[in-house]
Amino acid sequence: MEQRIWWKEAVVYQIYPRSFMDSNGDGIGDLRGIIQRLDYLKDLGVDIIWLSPIYQSPNDDNGYDISDYQNIMSDFGTMEDFDELLAQAHALGIKIIMDLVVNHTSDEHKWFVESRKSIDSPYRDYYIWREGKDDNPPNNWGSWFGGPAWEKDEATGMYYLHIFSKKQPDLNWDNAKVREEVYEMMTWWLDKGIDGFRMDVISLISKVPELPDGEVRGGIYGDLSPYCIHGPKVHEYLQEMNRKVLSKYDIMTVGEAVGVTIEEAPKYTGYDRNELNLVFQFDHMFLDMGEHGKWSNRRFQLTDLKKILSKWQTALEGLCWNCLYWSNHDQPRAVSRFGDDKDYRELSAKMLATCLHMMRGTPFIYQGEELGMTNAYFEQLEQYRDIESLNAYKGYVEQLGLSHELMMDYLQHMSRDNARTPMQWDDSLNAGFTTGTPWIEVNKNYKEINAKNQFKDETSVYHYYKKLIQLRHEHDIIVYGSYELLLPDSEQLYVYRRTLGNEVLLVICNFTKEEMELELAEYGMGTEHTLLISNYPDDQGNRIRAYEAKVYRMPT
Ligand code: GLC
Ligand code: CA
């Protein structure tokens, strides 16, 4: 068995503070709101909270554009509120990891305010400045949030790089002073007692110094990915960060590693590498891409999903540890994307949870997923708040001529706002999230889908998640067992086996509404077995019903 480590045995719950709980009626979730709901998280049984950014920010990208790393956004409260949140969470045995957004800052951060003033500013080299070419930007790169990745700044007539919005200038990690400032800031937070970091787009921090033009595929901009993802010094910098900061604390670190492959993951997280503990991979998030990239209404294919997740399950064994997730604040709702949020919402939400939580790795639950919350299905463009979605609409509809209807359909499937509508606490006004006007509309289905209802109902999605978390805490095999995919060619069933010592788990998940027969004996089912969990009230053996999920435990 692999070495035991607490973060391998933990279940993480992601809070998107803006949409979690509003304590003062201004329509925006806040830290005191989170404090009010800690008991809920304790009951659910999660071990760690990942807090999306709560730092001072002008909110161009909802806090992922930070103007002061050591202050709390006034919308969210004060540093005293934060200290209280941390203390109360710790008192309940819940750890907190913070979002660390250091690929870029806000253009309102004092470093950038100074940097842009003149080429002689001591902060000039904190960012990536280049001369334009004639009247054009330094190269052809396109921003991931639409438009060019360069913005011309009037003060000096030069351009700065921004992979995301123009209010998110990229930091220059090749400048040792930048790295020292970041390490100092991280140390300050860790000394406060936080339990680690989720590192935003950390695979982008090192750029190929020549910044060559990127390949143009459709559209007008070049692809910056090959020159920014896993850049030449990313591992050198992470090792330095580990040496100077991370290694001094007993914490959990997880990198958002856009573009990471099974070859690359062990470089970031290998047990002998002294970089990070975990990375988020994105392969299964790309399965439903279409001719307009992420803007798509396609459905994934189960055989592809199984191939990808199984590859990650087996390839990392003994080398490093997996992150397990279906959703987060950048993705649509899991049950809408991978399940059936209409006729089989509860069953399919539980099925998806089973499929993921029985795998090897550290599971992440995104707020509301434990209730089976669904996509927002906004019908008007005006209902959207997300800069990525709004910029994409402009780019595709206003500039490239895609139809309004098609783009709205894409947004209903893929917009990040699907996951950002307020948490559905009860069936009162605004789902109990706020007494004021919520910053983004509450999902219309809150009267039916909410925590209060599910709390009362032992058969709810909520209680099912609670049980899955409990099982993980009780059974080493769920955490440490090895993984083996069965029936790779089925487009209907996801079946896999976990093995540890003389124990086996057989996990069976139906990803469709079709019933079918499965000869369980062929997969090692003897008479001596127990049913660990199932989303149906009874077990009908070889008969597998619509979206049924069940897990058997037996001896080898
Ligand atoms: C990450 C965040 C996303 C943000 C982007 C830029 O992908 O998860 O929400 O927009 O980085 O910071
Ligand atoms: Ca508030």
Side-chain angles (χ1 to χ4, degrees):
M1 188 169 108
E2 281 191 34
Q3 195 199 346
R4 283 185 177 279
I5 308 179
W6 59 267
W7 44 258
K8 291 183 180 171
E9 302 178 1
V11 178
V12 185
Y13 187 92
Q14 183 191 354
I15 291 183
Y16 193 68
R18 218 174 174 73
S19 302
F20 192 62
M21 181 67 207
D22 174 21
S23 71
N24 64 351
D26 66 356
I28 300 173
D30 47 51
L31 296 176
R32 300 217 71 83
I34 300 174
I35 294 173
Q36 288 172 14
R37 297 295 184 177
L38 280 176
D39 288 341
Y40 170 85
L41 299 177
K42 180 68 192 167
D43 183 79
L44 182 59
V46 296
D47 307 283
I48 301 171
I49 293 171
W50 150 25
L51 270 189
S52 275
I54 54 166
Y55 318 93
Q56 202 178 88
S57 162
N59 277 315
D60 191 52
D61 185 21
N62 284 357
Y64 282 91
D65 49 320
I66 297 169
S67 54
D68 184 347
Y69 290 104
Q70 278 155 264
N71 263 310
I72 303 294
M73 189 191 302
S74 56
D75 286 345
F76 291 162
T78 63
M79 195 58 81
E80 288 67 48
D81 295 333
F82 176 80
D83 292 340
E84 190 179 328
L85 170 61
L86 187 62
Q88 291 208 23
H90 282 172
L92 294 172
I94 298 174
K95 295 181 193 288
I96 296 189
I97 67 173
M98 306 277 287
D99 224 304
L100 181 78
V101 188
V102 290
N103 171 68
H104 45 269
T105 68
S106 161
D107 65 338
E108 298 181 34
H109 192 289
K110 73 167 190 286
W111 300 338
F112 191 76
V113 172
E114 290 303 320
S115 182
R116 80 194 319 176
K117 280 184 184 162
S118 90
I119 56 168
D120 303 320
S121 160
Y123 291 94
R124 186 63 169 183
D125 210 23
Y126 273 44
Y127 296 86
I128 302 172
W129 291 97
R130 292 287 188 280
E131 297 285 357
K133 285 190 181 147
D134 306 320
D135 240 0
N136 294 312
N139 70 23
N140 70 356
W141 292 358
S143 154
W144 286 1
F145 281 175
W150 296 93
E151 180 73 7
K152 186 172 183 180
D153 199 51
E154 286 316 319
T156 59
M158 286 173 71
Y159 290 79
Y160 65 87
L161 177 69
H162 61 90
I163 296 183
F164 298 93
S165 93
K166 62 182 180 210
K167 285 183 67 63
Q168 294 169 295
D170 281 59
L171 281 165
N172 175 17
W173 273 71
D174 293 331
N175 180 348
K177 275 200 262 163
V178 166
R179 304 200 302 274
E180 284 308 321
E181 298 250 26
V182 169
Y183 302 156
E184 230 176 85
M185 175 272 286
M186 292 171 69
T187 302
W188 185 85
W189 279 102
L190 289 165
D191 286 343
K192 247 184 187 304
I194 65 162
D195 303 288
F197 292 108
R198 174 268 186 187
M199 301 186 186
D200 194 63
V201 289
I202 201 69
S203 52
L204 298 181
I205 57 176
S206 165
K207 279 86 175 166
V208 171
E210 298 77 23
L211 310 179
D213 277 341
E215 191 190 331
V216 182
R217 291 181 228 95
I220 46 179
Y221 298 108
D223 180 12
L224 57 79
S225 308
Y227 313 107
C228 299
I229 295 182
H230 319 313
K233 296 200 161 166
V234 67
H235 297 295
E236 180 185 324
Y237 295 156
L238 288 174
Q239 283 171 15
E240 179 185 78
M241 179 196 283
N242 187 293
R243 206 167 54 243
K244 295 191 168 174
V245 187
L246 307 176
S247 59
K248 302 187 174 150
Y249 303 86
D250 180 21
I251 52 172
M252 168 180 176
T253 53
V254 45
E256 188 201 18
V258 184
V260 74
T261 58
I262 44 167
E263 289 75 36
E264 199 67 31
K267 297 189 195 156
Y268 284 100
T269 60
Y271 297 136
D272 56 350
R273 292 282 296 180
N274 298 318
E275 294 190 22
L276 306 176
N277 299 141
L278 301 148
V279 283
F280 289 116
Q281 60 85 13
F282 280 76
D283 286 349
H284 61 310
M285 294 289 121
F286 295 147
L287 283 177
D288 43 19
M289 291 200 350
E291 55 171 328
H292 300 109
K294 99 164 233 181
W295 303 106
S296 161
N297 51 14
R298 281 190 46 220
R299 191 156 170 102
F300 72 101
Q301 240 188 317
L302 184 61
T303 42
D304 294 338
L305 179 75
K306 293 195 290 189
K307 203 186 294 161
I308 280 174
L309 293 181
S310 302
K311 180 182 76 179
W312 281 94
Q313 285 289 296
T314 51
L316 304 191
E317 194 167 341
L319 299 174
C320 53
W321 199 248
N322 263 300
C323 284
L324 307 173
Y325 73 100
W326 286 131
S327 177
N328 58 43
H329 65 294
D330 293 330
Q331 302 294 338
R333 287 285 176 184
V335 69
S336 304
R337 186 182 198 177
F338 296 103
D340 177 343
D341 66 4
K342 305 277 179 319
D343 300 333
Y344 297 93
R345 188 186 62 81
E346 290 188 33
L347 276 173
S348 68
K350 292 174 187 169
M351 182 280 290
L352 289 168
T354 315
C355 186
L356 196 81
H357 283 250
M358 286 296 141
M359 285 185 194
R360 178 190 174 86
T362 299
F364 287 70
I365 300 170
Y366 177 67
Q367 68 183 41
E369 182 186 323
E370 78 283 13
L371 306 175
M373 276 179 63
T374 70
N375 277 1
Y377 298 113
F378 287 149
E379 282 164 11
Q380 311 291 330
L381 188 62
E382 295 67 43
Q383 292 172 288
Y384 287 96
R385 299 285 174 271
D386 170 31
I387 180 165
E388 183 198 37
S389 305
L390 296 171
N391 284 355
Y393 182 92
K394 269 189 220 132
Y396 280 106
V397 179
E398 290 163 22
Q399 285 156 25
L400 297 174
L402 211 72
S403 77
H404 168 79
E405 288 68 31
L406 184 58
M407 193 64 206
M408 290 303 288
D409 190 42
Y410 285 172
L411 290 173
Q412 287 194 348
H413 280 86
M414 296 305 296
S415 169
R416 307 195 294 182
D417 279 344
N418 286 306
R420 296 178 180 184
T421 61
M423 181 73 179
Q424 291 163 211
W425 293 108
D426 57 40
D427 58 7
S428 69
L429 185 67
N430 299 320
F433 163 72
T434 180
T435 53
T437 308
W439 70 276
I440 186 169
E441 273 174 48
V442 174
N443 192 315
K444 285 195 292 239
N445 60 23
Y446 73 91
K447 293 215 163 152
E448 180 207 342
I449 304 171
N450 63 65
K452 194 172 168 206
N453 281 349
Q454 297 199 20
F455 215 73
K456 288 187 298 217
D457 174 6
E458 288 287 328
T459 69
S460 64
V461 180
Y462 176 85
H463 281 281
Y464 197 86
Y465 266 85
K466 191 171 159 173
K467 176 140 189 227
L468 284 171
I469 296 167
Q470 227 166 8
L471 286 172
R472 177 166 282 261
H473 289 152
E474 286 164 4
H475 297 273
D476 276 347
I477 186 172
I478 300 178
V479 180
Y480 294 107
S482 62
Y483 168 101
E484 184 194 351
L485 178 68
L486 306 172
L487 289 172
D489 299 327
S490 167
E491 287 294 358
Q492 180 174 6
L493 295 182
Y494 195 149
V495 182
Y496 61 91
R497 186 155 46 203
R498 304 286 311 277
T499 311
L500 186 70
N502 51 10
E503 208 185 331
V504 173
L505 297 182
L506 182 62
V507 181
I508 301 161
C509 296
N510 186 353
F511 270 70
T512 71
K513 60 173 192 275
E514 313 310 330
E515 272 200 31
M516 70 173 295
E517 291 285 319
L518 183 70
E519 200 51 60
L520 293 176
E522 282 176 25
Y523 302 97
M525 269 279 281
T527 41
E528 205 186 319
H529 64 257
T530 48
L531 186 66
L532 215 51
I533 189 167
S534 155
N535 61 353
Y536 274 80
D538 62 333
D539 181 12
Q540 298 197 356
N542 292 348
R543 177 167 170 244
I544 314 294
R545 289 156 287 181
Y547 289 101
E548 182 160 1
K550 52 186 178 178
V551 181
Y552 293 107
R553 177 171 175 232
M554 53 206 169
T556 42

